[in-house]
Amino acid sequence: MISPGVRHVRPREYQEACALLHERQAAPIAGGTELYLRMKQGVATPRSLVDLTDLPGMRQIERLADGTLRLGAAVTISALERSPLVAEAAPVLAEAAQRVGAPQIRNMGSLGGNLCQETMCWWYNRTALWRQAKEPCYKAGGSLCHVVDQEAVCYAAYRSDLAPILMSLEAELIVQGRQGERRMGIDELYSGDAAFPFTLAAGELISAVLVRPLGEGDVAAFAKHAHRRSIDYPLVSLAVAARGWTNGAAGRLRIVLGAVSGMPIRVPEAEALLEAAGAGERSVAEAAALVAKHAKPVRNVSFGAPAYRRHIAKVLARRLLGDLLARRRASSG
Amino acid sequence: MRAYRVVGQRVARIDAREKVTGHALYADDVILPGMLYGKVIRSPHAHARIVHIDAGAALRRRGVKAVVTGRDFPDVKFGFTKPTQDRRALPIDKVRYIGEGVAAVAATDKDLAAEAADLVRIDYEELPAVFDPEEAMKPGAPRLHEHAENNVSAICRFNFGDIEEAFRVADHVREDSFSTQAIMHGYLEPFAIVARYEVVTDRATLWAAKQSPYIIYRNLARGLGMKPSQLRIIQPHVGGGFGGKHEPFDLDFSAVMLSKMTGKPVKITCDMEEVFLSAYRRHPMRIRLAVAARRDGTLLGYRCRLIADGGAYAGVGHMSIYLAGAFLSLPFKVPNLRYDADRVYTNKPFSGALRGHGIPQMRFAAESQLDALGRDLGLDPLDIRMRNRVRQGDKLANGFVVTSCGLTESLELAAEAVDWTHTHGTLRRRGAKVRGIGLGCGSLSSGSRMGGHDASTAVIRVHEDGKVHLLHGSPDVGQGSNTVLAQILAEELGLTMDDIQTTLQDSDFLIFDPGTYGSRVTFTTGAAVRTAAAEIRRQLFEAVSKEIECAPGDLICKEGRIVVRGNEDRGVSFLHGVRLCYYKETKPLMAHGSATPAEFTAHFGDPKQLTSGYGNLSGSYSFTTQGSEVEVDLETGEISVLHFASAHDCGYPINPTLVEGQLDGSVAGGLGQALFENLETVDGLLLTPNFTDYGLPTSMESPQRSEHFHIETDDQFGPYGAKESGEGTQISTLPSIVNAIYDATGIWFRHLPITPDKVVKALQETYGANYLDHPFFNDPAARRRSGGADGRGNGRSRREERA
Amino acid sequence: MTPAGDGIERAPEAPLTLRVNGEEHTLAVRGHDTLLTVIRERLLLTGTKAGCTNGDCGLCTVLVDGEAMYACLMFAARCGGRDITTIEGLARGAVLHPLQEAWIQAGATQCGICTPGMILTAKAFLERVPRPSEVQVREAISGTLCRCTGYMKIIEAILLAANSGAPQPAPAAASGH
């Protein structure tokens, strides 16, 4: 249950929004689908909700002068799915958007919210009644982990569907703060600590995501594996993007694993292996094995046995990377 | 071909317009002036003594009107049968599972009620708990109930024929172990009740999401220390039941008591998480099953040991384990049966009835074992089924009598639908995906004699304007029984659906009816409607015969008229006939009719009968064969159901569209249990307390193609020849899918659910790490030879460890 | 509560104007009230059903500016000025919407609890994709659960509505024998 007295504010300017967010117990809201649930579960207890949707450019999808795709952070997931600009610049992003949650969730949820969703664990994202039955874990402010209690570390999983593909596309974020605007790589968003997964400071918010369009010779793909084909969060997801891949150049590859850790995981060893000229079937298998090695899932979600999720990481890698390599060969042959 | 005008037609549901416009009223939609909102406070402990409850702080909050605890109720326990009376309105001594209701508050709004619930202080003294049924049976295990030694809440001990002899003379014997998981019913409407107690009349009126109000309220009255006649039950629409809305729960007792304490109506609606934590679920069962067979596939006997995880209370669990054993044989004829079952208390929410009630678990085991038997003996699974199938007139070892049977035809139709002869056992692989087909059969009783009052009653009143009003006591929980009963009534009186009205149940206007369970409504209540309609006809014919000067026996109802048989120009309109009754005879035109389970059925409300198991359960049995085709992604382990063909003998489909709805729904439930759903519990704590973590299938998981075949066997006891159609097909779904996966992969899964992680693990263990290259998935001949990895070289006796 | 900025500020009982089924309602909502709570308990439009109230089942689906959304996850205070359609807004008196007719003809409603949300989802979907494939229909309704029907007759109903414009008799032959 959500305690009464939550207030809603809807700033029109970034400075004002950041000031509001800097106050204690303030939380940003756009779609609210994920935040609402955390509030209902009692794991988030903001007193004021700062609505970001009226801020300038927040709901816009546009191509900047240099061709960069600029996605306002409050753009809904279904807008990404249906946008002709996205379809033109990075169709893989539309595909990934289509695999987010359920249709209704996509109509409500925002890009920024998807990126800033909290890490999840089946011992944590539960109502107060349920949590009374167990000692609080690290993420709930306690001093133990119900999954792996060997190190003082939280093992909750970051399960954004959009983060891996955006990371593989080397997207950048525009972050607004009280001191003004800054720009950072999406990989800099994550702290690596599942208990406090994001690096944004109090009073900061993401206003836009910038994506360099996929050009000629660029290839990208995304795969999501979940228990059901709709509604579910991923058990494992994998995104790959290769720039300058099929136009004869050396090519640059980004491989990013999702949902198996407190943040999306890049697999540089596998990238290097396949970037090398002459990489063949054997290297795909090796790269897939490296991807699986980087996946360190724990038993923290339904139907997500760790060995199985590692196996799936390997299968998805084999499929996506095999296809990628085939395309490079086809273009050079 | 029978010439019915309304019966047998695809008429629209009688409540369809209400439902598609949002006008249908469900329990949570009931709003009364001055109504308070209640909230149940639930136990965070799996097993604990309730030391003290302090409601002071909660009661001091403005707007909080009352707090109720177990001590506010009379000191009585209730239950299905005498030996299983183990529940109280709210517990007074201890809690037995996480989520058990302990107290409840009522306040002027929902938020206040929730806040107040947090302020009620309950001191517990934790007790050792036990979660595994086999652990619970061991000496020294924590005891849940004083009366139950070794925590056994109910047993069955069946012994029919000569089991020792059957196993001695058998050419082939195999023994396998199976387990099934706990699943939810999957109704999407959470528990809800509105109760209004009136002090001046000392009665309470209830609107609640229940599927068998009278059975429930008998227990409800007992727990409240009231007489059933002090409760008035007004039935709202119900958002799904599937066997899950039978028992009275903490919220029901609390709402009435809180209303009594405050003098105001009280509504309690559970959060779905509360439903997950506290509602009863399907019994998880561990089954060890030994089969004795002849070389030609003739089944000689079954020896079965079953342990059912009953959870914290008995509920109707004795019936559940009885049914699992009762359908050890049917739909096949097996002369020798030995069945030993124990239902065991554990510190979890209790187990109870769910579509198919105990039978799907057993038939999953027995029917998938038939396919393994086929591989052992080199026989086609279809042939084994054909060889052992029951036929009309058969009497089974446990006393079941088969009065009509379309099993043969259903086997033929389902097999043909999946192209069995050409497809089964062949290698069909594309890339990482491999396909397989499977068959499963099932049978279910059409209502039974459960103890207490078993009759259904229909009351028909004909308005002056010729509209006919039907009242009866078996709620329609979505299956469409009100439509079917209205069709029967329209047919009987020669009218159309537009002439019939029904009102949902109200206990002040009706005679006791056991309600909606065990696929009894069309069969039993349908018969009651026919009887009542015959009485209406008699009264009409008497009045009309005087008017047109003929014998009453010569009259018939036809197309809105009452006419002389063979001379149909002679007669009057139905409306004219009605007016003759009212105005000339000056008699109200109304009638009632009752129907009871067939005389030749045994009394299964008796615990002794449930334990020993002999007797005919029902007036007739439905039969089904389902053929399914699955596609397994060998790399990811994902299983898609491509095609489902249900060939179903429901005697006669009074409304084919509604019957198909039942078939599709049963398949959906079975598919969920086979592949997707699981209530995963660790130390009594449910880790999957919502539909997403639990995995209820979405439209993306339902079969890509669903096909229905209606087989008409015209049962002599069912109305218009109709039999059961609400649950039986969920029985065959599990084995059909399991057998299709067996065909596709050569792996026989004996532990549900068959989730992708288990599939991948089994593939690796069976065929090695490079299983995609294994001959089984590459060489059609190898497949024929091996008959599947799991079926290979089965010894005379084979035991397996539980996974 | 005092405003912290010059943006729109709503104190816990601030009045709000909601446009539901074309009708404007001005009412005080509390900051934590969901759209579902307001629709059901304040406007007494109980056709919108409360299922899991957790974003898992889709029963509470309503149309907000023409798009299907879970009313259980939306703060009512944020819905001011938006166009909301509930199931009560579909029929014109006794004249049903073609989707409602199709639902009846196909036998797509059983217990009926998912029906309002499903029909609204289908309405928004068909307005965007008037001639969908079966797979598209499945995807479109995949955010609402149904246990009764296994979705089969719901899919049939939506295709029926899409293919007929005005509903035709149900294609019973597909499955009858």
Side-chain angles (χ1 to χ4, degrees):
Chain A
M1 153 216 168
I2 297 178
S3 54
V6 177
R7 71 196 176 112
H8 296 264
V9 288
R10 187 179 281 213
R12 308 259 176 195
E13 299 299 336
Y14 284 110
Q15 278 309 302
E16 184 198 333
C18 294
L20 285 166
L21 280 173
H22 192 257
E23 287 175 20
R24 277 188 56 215
Q25 292 190 292
I29 186 166
T33 52
E34 190 254 357
L35 175 64
Y36 175 81
L37 280 183
R38 283 191 288 125
M39 289 172 71
K40 188 184 167 200
Q41 290 159 349
V43 297
T45 52
R47 305 299 296 168
S48 72
L49 296 178
V50 182
D51 191 325
L52 306 182
T53 53
D54 277 355
L55 293 169
M58 262 290 190
R59 284 189 276 190
Q60 255 172 0
I61 298 176
E62 58 187 331
R63 292 289 285 268
L64 303 179
D66 67 350
T68 301
L69 183 66
R70 184 192 174 284
L71 308 164
V75 159
T76 63
I77 311 292
S78 47
L80 288 180
E81 239 181 290
R82 298 172 198 163
S83 158
L85 291 179
V86 173
E88 175 190 274
V92 66
L93 192 53
E95 283 168 38
Q98 213 188 354
R99 292 299 317 275
V100 174
Q104 290 95 320
I105 289 286
R106 302 200 287 272
N107 288 339
M108 305 165 75
S110 70
L111 166 61
N114 191 279
L115 293 179
C116 292
Q117 63 181 266
E118 260 294 349
T119 53
M120 303 173 70
C121 174
W122 64 356
W123 293 98
Y124 171 71
N125 306 79
R126 295 288 180 261
T127 67
L129 157 74
W130 191 95
R131 284 197 311 275
Q132 281 168 20
K134 281 277 166 186
E135 294 274 297
C137 68
Y138 293 124
K139 198 159 174 66
S143 55
L144 70 129
C145 172
H146 294 297
V147 186
V148 187
D149 201 21
Q150 282 153 2
E151 318 142 63
V153 172
C154 170
Y155 280 88
Y158 177 69
R159 301 174 86 182
S160 161
D161 282 304
L162 298 178
I165 190 67
L166 286 170
M167 205 148 136
S168 75
L169 293 168
E170 297 172 290
E172 290 187 295
L173 307 178
I174 305 290
V175 175
Q176 307 286 343
R178 285 181 304 155
Q179 272 73 48
E181 183 179 299
R182 68 187 173 103
R183 202 166 152 152
M184 68 181 194
I186 187 174
D187 52 328
E188 293 170 61
L189 177 65
Y190 305 101
S191 70
D193 176 0
F196 304 97
F198 305 109
T199 57
L200 295 179
E204 284 193 316
L205 64 95
I206 298 173
S207 60
V209 177
L210 303 177
V211 181
R212 193 154 60 86
L214 291 168
E216 210 174 312
D218 298 347
V219 183
F222 170 78
K224 167 177 176 172
H225 186 83
H227 186 58
R228 299 175 299 173
R229 295 280 301 169
S230 183
I231 305 179
D232 287 353
Y233 286 98
L235 292 172
V236 187
S237 61
L238 186 74
V240 298
R243 305 269 186 180
W245 193 249
T246 59
N247 58 6
R252 194 157 66 111
L253 182 60
R254 288 290 176 267
I255 302 174
V256 184
L257 255 172
V260 287
S261 171
M263 61 181 286
I265 301 183
R266 248 190 75 191
V267 192
E269 296 93 321
E271 293 167 2
L273 195 78
L274 292 181
E275 277 168 358
E281 280 300 320
R282 282 265 298 275
S283 7
V284 169
E286 269 176 59
L290 282 169
V291 169
K293 215 177 107 191
H294 275 70
K296 292 197 170 62
V298 295
R299 196 154 171 68
N300 57 359
V301 296
S302 320
F303 307 108
Y308 177 68
R309 279 155 86 192
R310 263 195 310 279
H311 168 82
I312 291 300
K314 191 192 276 185
V315 170
L316 298 185
R318 223 162 36 213
R319 288 181 179 178
L320 294 193
L321 298 174
D323 185 48
L324 208 69
L325 220 62
R327 287 166 79 165
R328 179 156 76 176
R329 272 201 303 272
S331 69
S332 62
Chain B
M1 205 57 215
R2 286 165 286 200
Y4 300 134
R5 305 182 60 86
V6 188
V7 157
Q9 306 301 310
R10 293 174 181 271
V11 304
R13 290 180 68 99
I14 199 160
D15 56 4
R17 288 176 75 83
E18 274 177 88
K19 285 180 172 174
V20 301
T21 53
H23 289 292
L25 215 64
Y26 298 75
D28 189 44
D29 301 337
V30 174
I31 297 167
L32 299 177
M35 188 170 83
L36 302 176
Y37 292 84
K39 171 96 182 159
V40 178
I41 302 160
R42 302 189 177 279
S43 164
H45 303 294
H47 200 189
R49 197 164 301 289
I50 303 167
V51 178
H52 182 66
I53 302 179
D54 177 5
L59 287 167
R60 280 191 293 275
R61 274 303 283 273
R62 218 174 57 160
V64 176
K65 298 299 183 188
V67 175
V68 65
T69 73
R71 302 262 173 220
D72 295 311
F73 294 92
D75 185 14
V76 290
K77 295 180 184 174
F78 62 88
F80 173 51
T81 56
K82 254 215 153 49
T84 57
Q85 289 181 344
D86 60 5
R87 280 177 76 206
R88 291 171 181 278
L90 292 173
I92 52 170
D93 51 347
K94 59 181 188 174
V95 292
R96 295 177 176 85
Y97 65 92
I98 295 173
E100 180 166 12
V102 184
V105 299
T108 49
D109 81 31
K110 259 188 205 170
D111 295 332
L112 257 179
E115 274 176 58
D118 286 343
L119 294 175
V120 175
R121 215 187 120 167
I122 304 174
D123 295 326
Y124 296 98
E125 178 195 322
E126 281 195 68
L127 298 169
V130 63
F131 308 109
D132 181 279
E134 285 170 78
E135 292 298 319
M137 291 170 81
K138 287 180 184 164
R143 193 190 278 199
L144 272 81
H145 296 272
E146 279 313 309
H147 72 270
E149 217 177 319
N150 303 331
N151 288 314
V152 173
S153 81
I155 59 166
C156 289
R157 300 287 183 262
F158 304 174
N159 198 351
F160 308 126
D162 186 344
I163 195 69
E164 303 307 326
E165 179 66 7
F167 274 79
R168 202 182 57 76
V169 304
D171 297 321
H172 189 79
V173 169
R174 68 173 293 143
E175 182 170 10
D176 302 285
S177 293
F178 305 83
S179 66
T180 63
Q181 81 277 36
I183 61 162
M184 290 289 283
H185 299 79
Y187 43 80
L188 299 176
E189 175 203 31
F191 292 156
I193 181 167
V194 177
R196 181 172 66 184
Y197 176 80
E198 289 145 89
V199 70
V200 287
T201 54
D202 194 18
R203 295 187 78 205
T205 306
L206 313 173
W207 294 259
K210 298 292 180 192
Q211 65 182 95
S212 294
Y214 292 94
I215 292 238
I216 293 158
Y217 294 105
R218 199 156 50 176
N219 280 331
L220 194 58
R222 191 177 154 82
L224 287 163
M226 294 169 85
K227 294 188 180 113
S229 59
Q230 286 175 281
L231 299 176
R232 177 177 175 191
I233 305 133
I234 300 179
Q235 177 74 38
H237 285 285
V238 181
F242 316 110
K245 289 177 178 167
H246 286 301
E247 303 267 353
F249 271 94
D250 39 37
L251 73 156
D252 306 312
F253 294 106
S254 299
V256 179
M257 196 52 85
L258 287 167
S259 177
K260 200 167 178 175
M261 292 162 92
T262 60
K264 307 239 185 210
V266 175
K267 176 193 274 190
I268 304 183
T269 304
C270 285
D271 207 75
M272 197 53 91
E273 184 180 279
E274 292 181 80
V275 175
F276 269 91
L277 288 171
S278 69
Y280 62 93
R281 58 268 283 280
R282 172 163 278 170
H283 283 82
M285 290 185 179
R286 292 172 188 177
I287 300 169
R288 209 167 67 231
L289 184 62
V291 58
R294 282 210 197 100
R295 198 167 289 111
D296 64 4
T298 305
L299 300 173
L300 299 175
Y302 277 124
R303 189 161 48 207
C304 181
R305 172 78 178 118
L306 181 146
I307 293 172
D309 187 347
Y313 293 100
V316 296
H318 201 182
M319 185 52 132
S320 316
I321 57 169
Y322 158 76
L323 286 169
F327 285 81
L328 188 49
S329 168
L330 201 64
F332 303 111
K333 202 172 174 178
V334 187
N336 306 292
L337 302 167
R338 173 73 195 253
Y339 176 64
D340 296 283
D342 291 53
R343 183 188 181 279
V344 185
Y345 287 126
T346 57
N347 290 108
K348 288 183 281 193
F350 68 102
S351 305
L354 196 164
R355 204 170 200 167
H357 198 179
I359 307 167
Q361 296 98 311
M362 179 59 82
R363 293 316 305 171
F364 147 64
E367 283 260 348
S368 61
Q369 194 186 48
L370 280 187
D371 278 37
L373 188 68
R375 279 165 211 251
D376 289 353
L377 298 172
L379 299 171
D380 185 324
L382 176 61
D383 293 342
I384 293 191
R385 284 173 173 78
M386 278 294 185
R387 178 172 294 280
N388 293 286
R389 73 193 192 276
V390 294
R391 294 168 177 84
Q392 185 173 345
D394 277 350
K395 186 167 178 185
L396 301 184
N398 66 342
F400 280 16
V401 178
V402 178
T403 52
S404 63
C405 180
L407 184 59
T408 309
E409 206 180 342
S410 94
L411 272 161
E412 287 164 357
L413 284 166
E416 195 189 315
V418 294
D419 195 16
W420 180 267
T421 327
H422 301 107
T423 310
H424 186 252
T426 61
L427 175 64
R428 291 181 302 142
R429 176 179 167 185
R430 189 178 298 166
K433 291 182 177 173
V434 59
R435 291 184 177 190
I437 57 171
L439 292 176
C441 300
S443 175
L444 193 79
S445 42
S446 311
S448 51
R449 197 179 288 265
M450 293 281 269
H453 178 80
D454 270 315
S456 282
T457 300
V459 176
I460 299 170
R461 296 177 301 146
V462 185
H463 294 284
E464 280 179 272
D465 61 7
K467 294 282 178 198
V468 182
H469 195 106
L470 171 64
L471 278 171
H472 64 89
S474 313
D476 185 338
V477 290
Q479 77 275 36
S481 54
N482 278 350
T483 308
V484 164
L485 298 176
Q487 282 178 268
I488 291 175
L489 180 52
E491 188 70 45
E492 292 288 328
L493 298 181
L495 300 173
T496 68
M497 285 295 281
D498 290 338
D499 300 315
I500 311 295
Q501 302 172 329
T502 63
T503 303
L504 301 187
Q505 289 68 29
D506 182 331
S507 62
D508 273 8
F509 300 113
L510 288 166
I511 300 165
F512 185 98
D513 182 302
T516 300
Y517 61 83
S519 291
R520 63 181 295 283
V521 180
T522 297
F523 195 75
T524 311
T525 316
V529 170
R530 292 191 82 177
T531 310
E535 172 58 19
I536 291 287
R537 274 199 312 264
R538 191 193 63 75
Q539 294 177 30
L540 276 168
F541 293 170
E542 200 175 297
V544 173
S545 65
K546 289 179 194 163
E547 174 86 359
I548 63 171
E549 294 174 355
C550 68
D554 291 342
L555 290 168
I556 56 170
C557 286
K558 194 174 177 190
E559 293 173 45
R561 289 173 55 77
I562 297 162
V563 295
V564 175
R565 186 184 284 111
N567 183 6
E568 293 175 11
D569 291 339
R570 215 177 133 211
V572 299
S573 72
F574 185 82
L575 178 59
H576 188 80
V578 170
R579 287 182 172 156
L580 287 172
C581 288
Y582 276 100
Y583 306 147
K584 210 156 184 180
E585 303 285 320
T586 62
K587 282 179 192 158
L589 187 50
M590 61 184 291
H592 81 271
S594 291
T596 54
E599 279 168 21
F600 53 83
T601 57
H603 192 300
F604 280 101
D606 177 356
K608 285 200 281 289
Q609 184 100 33
L610 288 171
T611 301
S612 58
Y614 189 84
N616 190 18
L617 179 64
S618 182
S620 70
Y621 300 85
S622 72
F623 293 92
T624 314
T625 307
Q626 285 176 325
S628 64
E629 178 171 29
V630 301
E631 183 171 79
V632 182
D633 185 322
L634 294 172
E635 286 184 321
T636 65
E638 289 167 295
I639 297 166
S640 314
V641 178
L642 304 178
H643 179 199
F644 228 99
S646 301
H648 180 51
D649 157 27
C650 71
Y652 176 69
I654 291 178
N655 187 325
T657 302
L658 292 177
V659 172
E660 286 158 16
Q662 291 303 297
L663 301 185
D664 288 340
S666 287
V667 168
L671 184 147
Q673 174 155 27
L675 305 176
F676 289 98
E677 297 167 29
N678 195 12
L679 289 169
E680 186 155 350
T681 306
V682 172
D683 295 342
L685 182 58
L686 180 66
L687 285 166
T688 57
N690 59 65
F691 287 124
T692 299
D693 288 311
Y694 170 71
L696 194 97
T698 73
S699 55
M700 303 301 286
E701 283 73 48
S702 64
Q704 286 177 20
R705 191 154 68 91
S706 170
E707 220 178 345
H708 317 106
F709 301 92
H710 301 294
I711 297 159
E712 296 181 17
T713 50
D714 201 9
D715 188 78
Q716 57 183 309
F717 299 102
Y720 294 91
K723 303 189 282 190
E724 184 279 332
S725 77
E727 325 181 51
T729 42
Q730 188 146 337
I731 293 165
S732 37
T733 306
L734 288 175
S736 173
I737 291 175
V738 171
N739 289 337
I741 298 168
Y742 196 176
D743 182 41
T745 63
I747 297 171
W748 177 25
F749 290 88
R750 284 165 294 238
H751 307 286
L752 299 180
I754 309 169
T755 46
D757 56 326
K758 287 190 194 168
V759 173
V760 168
K761 195 161 169 250
L763 284 164
Q764 288 167 340
E765 283 170 4
T766 310
Y767 301 109
N770 298 320
Y771 57 83
L772 279 159
D773 301 329
H774 190 276
F776 189 79
F777 297 115
N778 293 283
D779 175 7
R783 176 171 286 239
R784 289 249 186 242
R785 268 201 310 281
S786 80
D790 233 343
R792 240 178 344 212
N794 239 301
R796 185 172 159 78
S797 178
R798 180 186 165 97
R799 268 168 205 264
E800 283 157 77
E801 295 309 306
R802 215 180 346 273
Chain C
M1 299 271 173
T2 51
D6 57 3
I8 299 169
E9 158 89 31
R10 285 197 190 90
E13 292 276 351
L16 170 83
T17 299
L18 282 177
R19 203 158 56 242
V20 181
N21 302 328
E23 201 180 317
E24 293 208 337
H25 303 266
T26 301
L27 68 170
V29 303
R30 298 167 303 179
H32 64 288
D33 282 336
T34 62
L35 181 58
L36 176 63
T37 306
V38 169
I39 288 173
R40 282 182 58 80
E41 293 169 23
R42 305 292 299 285
L43 305 180
L44 305 182
L45 293 169
T46 55
T48 304
K49 298 304 174 195
C52 69
T53 57
N54 208 52
D56 296 312
C57 78
L59 255 55
C60 64
T61 300
V62 296
L63 303 185
V64 179
D65 295 334
E67 299 272 21
M69 300 193 190
Y70 294 149
C72 74
L73 298 185
M74 297 183 92
F75 288 107
R78 302 180 69 231
C79 296
R82 304 185 80 173
D83 240 318
I84 293 153
T85 306
T86 69
I87 191 68
E88 289 90 346
L90 256 60
R92 295 277 165 266
V95 181
L96 301 187
H97 186 277
L99 269 164
Q100 292 171 317
E101 291 289 358
W103 234 257
I104 294 173
Q105 288 177 17
T109 194
Q110 285 191 32
C111 85
I113 201 93
C114 78
T115 303
M118 280 282 191
I119 290 180
L120 288 168
T121 306
K123 178 176 183 285
F125 168 66
L126 289 184
E127 275 162 19
R128 198 164 49 77
V129 187
R131 291 283 178 271
S133 68
E134 203 218 273
V135 173
Q136 284 176 307
V137 172
R138 274 178 193 265
E139 283 171 359
I141 61 165
S142 69
T144 303
L145 300 179
C146 170
R147 183 64 133 192
C148 294
T149 64
Y151 308 98
M152 307 312 288
K153 291 198 184 288
I154 294 176
I155 296 167
E156 194 180 313
I158 297 172
L159 289 171
L160 181 68
N163 293 332
S164 60
Q168 303 290 313
S175 42
H177 269 257

